């Protein structure tokens, strides 16, 4: 089962290495991770998406995370109500499309064409996971040359 | 000097711990880090923002990164042309504002009000660093209750 977990941590060297080390020590892959400052610059917020094959081991990891000196809070949003969003930057092949066709694809989504020429376009897209995956499937038919994702961040309702 | 560095890495357990360990072993703080899958699901892209007090040490870290078995490419975008964007989710205090006032603030920026009631609003904002910091300064006067950032991602022009 996919879990979205966030932790509030001290913004200082070594914290991220300790957190990611806790997961890798148990062979857990972190699907995505995003860390940035909060409105308090001494505190960072780390958002992780983890696919747990074994829920008991994930429970252990969360408890150990919570015990780290640099970690203040660990929240698993999985059973809560939340908004989740991800930002993607894409370089698309424009040989088989037009700016107009792209704008039609982006009609119901937060997307913006940052640059466009005969060879390639660069676009930004912000969306929830399901909507994003649908759009990426359509864009891959046009031709994705480069793809950068932030990983999911989430906020409780 | 601030550096935006990205690495293409194998999408498997332990890689992130090794990368972040290289930085923390030299007392380097990673200001933000975002990691997600690329269009090849076996490959992840890690984007880091690092403030280098000592440029020579950062050069060493980049070389060591490049030597890690799981790391395919390391690119420092600092002297290149690129687009950089960050996504932020915010919970705002709505006691001293209105939906209309927020929409005016968001006029020239990619922002969306996800929910709004008498107590609080949840909004998503996607922008480049400078524009985002300006807006966050204005929003902090209204009252930021919760702030989640993805960290910067970037794509070469």
């Amino acid at each position: 089962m996919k879990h979205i977990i966030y932790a509030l941590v001290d913004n200082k060297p070594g914290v991220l290495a300790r957190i990611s080390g806790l997961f890798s020590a148990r062979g857990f892959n972190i699907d995505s991770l995003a860390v940035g400052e909060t409105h308090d610059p001494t505190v960072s917020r780390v958002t992780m998406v983890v696919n747990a094959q074994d829920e008991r081991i994930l429970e252990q990891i969360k408890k150990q995370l919570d015990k780290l000196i640099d970690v203040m809070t660990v929240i698993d949003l999985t059973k809560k109500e939340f908004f989740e969003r991800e930002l993607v930057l894409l370089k698309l092949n424009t040989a088989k499309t037009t700016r107009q066709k792209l704008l039609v694809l982006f009609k119901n989504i937060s997307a913006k064409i940052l640059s466009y020429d005969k060879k390639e376009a660069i676009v930004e897209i912000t969306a929830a996971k399901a909507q994003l995956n649908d759009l990426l499937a359509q864009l891959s038919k046009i031709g994705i040359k480069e793809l950068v994702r932030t990983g999911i961040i989430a906020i409780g309702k």
Side-chain angles (χ1 to χ4, degrees), chain A residues 83-87 109 125-134 149 152:
Chain A
F83 286 107
E84 49 101 358
R85 287 292 182 277
E86 184 169 14
L87 164 66
I109 204 162
I125 303 166
T126 299
K129 187 121 194 146
Q131 200 185 19
L132 191 58
N133 286 346
D134 285 350
R149 307 177 79 127
I152 286 171

Side-chain angles (χ1 to χ4, degrees), chain A residues 3-121:
Chain A
H3 289 253
I4 300 180
I5 299 164
Y6 76 83
L8 296 175
V9 307
D10 288 332
N11 182 9
K12 63 183 192 191
V15 182
L16 198 56
R18 280 193 284 280
I19 292 176
S20 43
L22 273 185
F23 285 88
S24 63
R26 277 159 197 81
F28 258 68
N29 193 29
I30 299 173
D31 289 347
S32 76
L33 182 144
V35 51
E37 284 180 3
T38 60
H39 49 309
D40 175 353
T42 67
V43 177
S44 292
R45 179 156 162 165
V46 185
T47 312
M48 292 162 279
V49 178
V50 182
N51 196 356
Q53 268 103 37
D54 189 329
E55 297 289 332
R56 287 167 310 170
I57 295 178
L58 183 62
E59 283 305 312
Q60 286 170 15
I61 294 176
K62 286 194 294 188
K63 272 184 198 153
Q64 285 180 303
L65 261 182
D66 217 4
K67 280 184 193 157
L68 289 178
I69 285 178
D70 312 307
V71 174
M72 284 155 274
T73 320
V74 178
I75 306 278
D76 188 337
L77 286 167
T78 313
K79 287 173 186 166
K80 298 195 165 75
E81 284 203 273
F82 59 89
F83 286 107
E84 49 101 358
R85 287 292 182 277
E86 184 169 14
L87 164 66
V88 175
L89 289 174
L90 278 167
K91 200 173 278 176
L92 293 171
N93 187 347
T94 50
K96 292 177 187 168
T97 189
T98 62
R99 184 190 279 262
Q100 207 49 45
K101 279 184 192 162
L102 285 184
L103 289 174
V104 171
L105 280 179
F106 296 162
K107 210 178 48 176
N108 296 314
I109 204 162
S110 297
K112 207 167 164 178
I113 298 173
L114 302 177
S115 73
Y116 193 100
D117 65 28
K118 280 176 204 168
K119 281 187 181 165
E120 59 191 32

